[in-house]
Amino acid sequence: MAEDKQKKNLTVFGQETEFDGILEFTDNLVITGKFKGEICATGDLEIEKGAICNVEKMTANSIVISGTVTGDIDAPERVEMCTGSVVHGDVKTSRLRIAEDVEFEGQISMLENEPEVNLFSVASDEYKKALVLKSDEPR
């Protein structure tokens, strides 16, 4: 797993950067400036303190917010709202952390990891076993 993280490139949009449009990426991105538009990514996204993002929708594997985000957020892995961040929009994720002193307005939808079993090809007791949460499994 450490090898996968090393292979990903990190791109930083500086404080003086203003981007307007549709942004797609597969690696990791840090925004420290202003962004307006839509983000559709499979990598990880970080919104630094002081950054302002106005989006229709922001999609990335995981999203860490220290700045201001207005718009819907979709991150299958996790969303983290750090102290001092401002988030106005609906959030969809499987793991969520909201620190103290966060201004949040919106709805939260928690995603559950779907079992890797075809519902129609297994007996019902096998399917129930597949539904056991990974957090319930011994480590």
Side-chain angles (χ1 to χ4, degrees), residues 41-86:
T42 56
D44 297 333
L45 175 61
E46 186 172 345
I47 311 299
E48 286 284 321
K49 186 174 184 166
I52 299 171
C53 294
N54 291 306
V55 296
E56 185 176 313
K57 186 172 186 181
M58 175 185 292
T59 304
N61 183 50
S62 72
I63 301 174
V64 177
I65 303 165
S66 297
T68 301
V69 174
T70 303
D72 294 342
I73 297 169
D74 189 350
E77 178 67 28
R78 72 183 174 106
V79 171
E80 185 172 345
M81 298 179 203
C82 301
T83 301
S85 62
V86 177

Side-chain angles (χ1 to χ4, degrees), residues 96-113:
L96 175 68
R97 174 180 287 157
I98 302 177
E100 291 183 23
D101 194 30
V102 169
E103 181 182 318
F104 172 66
E105 182 182 323
Q107 294 184 359
I108 297 171
S109 300
M110 298 303 292
L111 303 173
E112 293 183 29
N113 293 335

Side-chain angles (χ1 to χ4, degrees), residues 2-127:
E3 288 180 25
D4 289 343
K5 291 191 183 264
Q6 289 175 353
K7 289 180 185 176
K8 293 238 180 199
N9 291 320
L10 176 65
T11 302
V12 178
F13 278 11
Q15 291 180 340
E16 302 300 317
T17 304
E18 291 189 29
F19 187 95
D20 190 347
I22 298 173
L23 180 61
E24 296 180 9
F25 61 92
T26 57
D27 287 336
N28 300 329
L29 176 68
V30 176
I31 296 175
T32 62
K34 293 180 181 176
F35 178 86
K36 181 179 180 184
E38 185 173 344
I39 296 174
C40 185
T42 56
D44 297 333
L45 175 61
E46 186 172 345
I47 311 299
E48 286 284 321
K49 186 174 184 166
I52 299 171
C53 294
N54 291 306
V55 296
E56 185 176 313
K57 186 172 186 181
M58 175 185 292
T59 304
N61 183 50
S62 72
I63 301 174
V64 177
I65 303 165
S66 297
T68 301
V69 174
T70 303
D72 294 342
I73 297 169
D74 189 350
E77 178 67 28
R78 72 183 174 106
V79 171
E80 185 172 345
M81 298 179 203
C82 301
T83 301
S85 62
V86 177
V87 179
H88 294 263
D90 296 341
V91 175
K92 270 190 204 175
T93 188
S94 59
R95 295 187 308 165
L96 175 68
R97 174 180 287 157
I98 302 177
E100 291 183 23
D101 194 30
V102 169
E103 181 182 318
F104 172 66
E105 182 182 323
Q107 294 184 359
I108 297 171
S109 300
M110 298 303 292
L111 303 173
E112 293 183 29
N113 293 335
E114 294 183 20
E116 297 172 9
V117 176
N118 182 342
L119 170 63
F120 300 105
S121 68
V122 296
S124 61
D125 56 331
E126 283 182 70
Y127 185 71

